[in-house]
Amino acid sequence: MDAIQQHMIDSYRAAQRGELPPPLPGRHDWAVVRGARDRRRFDAVIAGRPARGRWRAALRSLITRGRGTGGPGGSGVPGPSPVGPAECL
């Protein structure tokens, strides 16, 4: 039985008893996500870590760490070799 079928049964049962029908499936999903995010931020503040921007800071450190080992533009792509191919042998 999926969520819609269960909701239909619960709605029927609530109507028979004169109660309010249950909320639609998925109605409070975003509220749960926001609650989890708020809890994670709260735990970070209590632990003394920054509460916001941790993902961006982590991605920025990964990106900037790779820039020092690249070509002239710092794109991570190796640039031309300073010695010719015959001198490498």
Side-chain angles (χ1 to χ4, degrees), residues 25-34:
R27 174 155 180 139
H28 300 292
D29 288 352
W30 287 112
V32 171
V33 170
R34 280 192 297 272

Side-chain angles (χ1 to χ4, degrees), residues 2 10 16 29 42 45-47 52 60 62-63 73 75 77 82:
D2 63 1
D10 292 341
Q16 294 296 320
D29 288 352
F42 175 76
V45 169
I46 295 299
R52 298 190 71 176
R60 188 179 310 120
L62 286 174
I63 291 170
S75 62
V77 178

Side-chain angles (χ1 to χ4, degrees), residues 37-60:
R37 181 193 62 204
D38 291 344
R39 177 62 189 209
R40 192 173 57 244
R41 286 180 179 171
F42 175 76
D43 290 341
V45 169
I46 295 299
R49 298 186 312 260
R52 298 190 71 176
R54 292 188 297 161
W55 283 102
R56 286 185 185 159
L59 288 173
R60 188 179 310 120

